[in-house]
Amino acid sequence: ILVFTSSIYLYWNRSFTIESSALFFTLSSLSIYSTIRNRSVQALEQHHRFYWLATLYLITTSLGLLIKATTALPALLLMAIDCLAQLMPTTKPSEPRKSNRRDYFLLAGCMLAAFMLMHAWTQHADTLKQLSPIGKTMTSEALSGWNFGTPEQRLSGDLWQEVLITRMLTPLGAIPSLLLLSWAFAITSREPEKRLFMAACLWMALGPLFIFTNLHVVHNYYQAANQIYLLMAIAAAASCILAARRLGSIRWLAIGLSGLIVAGSLMEFWQGTH
């Protein structure tokens, strides 16, 4: 419901942009990674299924990076950090078995291969651009400052006020969104997995703003990809609150806050496109 009523998502992802294609393959990559990460003990023995999933993971990750690196790179960074964390030595009883570690090494190889493919393609494109006087001004090196922005921009009102609040939070309803997220983090202090999921979603929603700052300041369609992760965090927050039986009937307030977000999104969509 939150996705299908999101004004930013509806407006930009029905347009002819590469953002929606990159988002599709990035979400597919994240989904496949999560499937492999959360496999059951029985599924660990089904290595033929794992190799198929690893192949699909390599394809989707590569396509996401090749279509639009600025959309897929933050997701790749998140998965790489988690993959390294899974490979770190641990003394906990839940330590992955050797076969599972081998799987993570293969996943790490897939990530590296996808990144190197993106790098090779970028180098090839830059070589072609060097053949043109105009193209020389559009290489990845020449546009480095344009893509990443300046330290001053990361502290400016253009990013915090215009991009984060006006473009991302206001269309959803900043107050109900922040209330749901704060409430969910407060009641899940003993549920690290739920907190980790919401934190990962918030990283995917906000992290790109601080990596490719100038691009997000200049282009308002860039937030179409970020918004879906913010919606995932909000949906997870509402779910955590509804599942907390100890809150009694007050937990149904989450439904009301979610309803306000839906109403705000539809109103913004109607006013912004008519």
Side-chain angles (χ1 to χ4, degrees):
I1 294 174
L2 291 173
V3 170
F4 292 155
T5 57
S6 170
S7 57
I8 297 177
Y9 185 78
L10 287 175
Y11 183 80
W12 287 112
N13 286 285
R14 66 178 186 170
S15 63
F16 191 72
T17 64
I18 61 174
E19 192 76 41
S20 53
S21 296
L23 178 60
F24 169 78
F25 287 110
T26 302
L27 287 173
S28 299
S29 173
L30 286 165
S31 176
I32 295 170
Y33 180 82
S34 297
T35 299
I36 295 174
R37 186 183 187 274
N38 299 322
R39 286 182 303 165
S40 63
V41 175
Q42 292 79 9
L44 290 174
E45 305 299 334
Q46 301 175 3
H47 288 292
H48 64 283
R49 181 171 179 266
F50 166 75
Y51 292 133
W52 275 109
L53 287 174
T55 302
L56 286 175
Y57 176 76
L58 175 60
I59 293 172
T60 54
T61 305
S62 299
L63 287 174
L65 290 169
L66 290 173
I67 293 172
K68 204 165 188 293
T70 55
T71 299
L73 270 176
L76 181 64
L77 178 60
L78 178 68
M79 290 183 286
I81 292 173
D82 182 75
C83 187
L84 288 174
Q86 298 299 321
L87 288 171
M88 292 293 288
T90 177
T91 57
K92 294 180 180 180
S94 59
E95 179 180 2
R97 299 185 309 172
K98 291 183 178 180
S99 60
N100 205 10
R101 286 185 180 277
R102 185 170 60 247
D103 292 349
Y104 279 110
F105 274 116
L106 182 55
L107 278 178
C110 291
M111 294 179 195
L112 181 60
F115 181 83
M116 294 305 297
L117 182 60
M118 178 202 69
H119 179 72
W121 177 255
T122 302
Q123 293 294 104
H124 173 66
D126 285 346
T127 301
L128 295 180
K129 292 174 185 177
Q130 293 287 348
L131 302 176
S132 165
I134 298 178
K136 290 180 180 180
T137 66
M138 301 179 68
T139 62
S140 55
E141 183 178 354
L143 293 177
S144 177
W146 172 262
N147 292 334
F148 297 103
T150 63
E152 292 77 14
Q153 277 185 308
R154 290 171 173 82
L155 300 174
S156 68
D158 289 338
L159 179 66
W160 291 91
Q161 176 65 41
E162 176 62 25
V163 179
L164 180 57
I165 297 178
T166 303
R167 296 183 195 171
M168 293 186 66
L169 287 175
T170 299
L172 296 177
I175 294 177
S177 299
L178 293 175
L179 281 175
L180 277 175
L181 289 169
S182 303
W183 192 2
F185 273 103
I187 67 172
T188 55
S189 58
R190 297 183 180 180
E191 299 174 286
E193 286 293 328
K194 293 181 179 180
R195 278 192 162 192
L196 181 62
F197 178 80
M198 290 188 290
C201 290
L202 289 177
W203 156 254
M204 290 299 300
L206 306 179
L209 303 183
F210 303 101
I211 298 175
F212 305 105
T213 303
N214 187 63
L215 291 176
H216 278 276
V217 170
V218 175
H219 303 297
N220 60 348
Y221 67 88
Y222 265 63
Q223 293 83 59
N226 299 45
Q227 195 77 346
I228 195 169
Y229 300 110
L230 181 57
L231 294 171
M232 289 167 64
I234 293 171
S239 176
C240 290
I241 295 169
L242 286 174
R245 299 289 181 182
R246 65 182 182 278
L247 295 177
S249 59
I250 195 177
R251 71 182 189 275
W252 292 99
L253 181 60
I255 295 293
L257 293 173
S258 301
L260 289 176
I261 294 173
V262 170
S265 296
L266 290 175
M267 186 177 299
E268 177 71 19
F269 181 66
W270 177 265
Q271 293 176 346
T273 56
H274 288 75

